Amino acid sequence: MGKKIFVSYKYLDAQVQDLDIHEDVDYGWTKIKTKVTTTARHYVDELEGLLEEEDHIYKGEDDGEDMSTLADSTIASKLGDKIFDSSVTIVLVSKGMKNAYNIEKDQWIPWEISYSLKEQTREGGRSKTNAVLAVVLPDQLGNYDYFIVDNTCSKCNCRTLKTNFLFQILRDNMFNINKPVFTDCTNHVDNQPYKGESSFIHSVKWLDFANDPGKYIDLALDIRAKLDEYNITKTVK
């Protein structure tokens, strides 16, 4: 059965791989097809098509509104209404998703994650914590290693997630399993790699997700089914 999926992303982030998109520009006397700069928003268009193929219902959001003048109650109302009846939140991780000049509380993505993780009460009932999946977009060079580095160990082929650049609420919900299990790889002396699904928010490359979106949505839902095994952070700091 299809799921209602909320998507959180940085609308104008252009630090993503070019999708070679052309749009008609109206000059009054004629329309000329012009190449446009690819942003995270264009990946949302691609994502919407993938979700429709899987019979999922896309619930979009953009970040065009300035949050700095909004009261917490206004933010709660806006996001609560949009996220309440969704069961999965996809966060598009992109290289420029975070505005370094604004505090995190003045940016939409942390709040969208927060309200996805909270149980909410509305007239229609009470929602559950959403499953949350981080889909990582390729940068301008088509690389993912600004966040995901595969095969960092020649022996166990583990991967490394560079979580430092993420929003705090994303970082807090990765590697947050209550009873972690580690590998016994002898190449690692101090920091043994985790085994299994150690993060409530699983991370996947865009290319892998696009090849099999159902697989990764189901994985996120399976992790949510084990919610009590994770130490979940639901508030924006």
Side-chain angles (χ1 to χ4, degrees), residues 128-155:
K128 296 180 180 179
T129 294
N130 275 15
V132 183
L133 180 67
V135 177
V136 185
L137 302 184
D139 67 12
Q140 301 99 311
L141 299 178
N143 297 326
Y144 297 90
D145 57 7
Y146 68 93
F147 179 53
I148 295 179
V149 181
D150 286 321
N151 301 320
T152 52
C153 172
S154 59
K155 186 173 182 180

Side-chain angles (χ1 to χ4, degrees), residues 94-178:
S94 54
K95 198 171 185 178
M97 69 187 294
K98 189 174 178 181
N99 187 335
Y101 298 101
N102 289 351
I103 62 174
E104 296 194 8
K105 285 189 175 183
D106 285 348
Q107 299 179 62
W108 279 111
I109 292 176
W111 286 102
E112 289 167 348
I113 297 168
S114 173
Y115 279 89
S116 296
L117 294 170
K118 291 178 179 178
E119 295 181 349
Q120 302 178 63
T121 302
R122 288 285 187 274
E123 188 174 339
R126 185 171 179 82
S127 71
K128 296 180 180 179
T129 294
N130 275 15
V132 183
L133 180 67
V135 177
V136 185
L137 302 184
D139 67 12
Q140 301 99 311
L141 299 178
N143 297 326
Y144 297 90
D145 57 7
Y146 68 93
F147 179 53
I148 295 179
V149 181
D150 286 321
N151 301 320
T152 52
C153 172
S154 59
K155 186 173 182 180
C156 66
N157 296 322
C158 60
R159 72 172 184 170
T160 297
L161 299 184
K162 300 178 181 179
T163 60
N164 287 343
F165 88 100
L166 296 174
F167 290 106
Q168 183 73 46
I169 195 168
L170 272 175
R171 295 200 303 271
D172 288 346
N173 288 295
M174 294 180 179
F175 304 109
N176 63 327
I177 194 164
N178 291 323

Side-chain angles (χ1 to χ4, degrees), residues 8 16 19 24 67 70 96 110 118 129 132 157 166 180 219 225 227:
S8 179
V16 295
L19 291 175
D24 288 332
M67 292 185 63
L70 298 180
K118 291 178 179 178
T129 294
V132 183
N157 296 322
L166 296 174
L219 174 59
L227 182 68

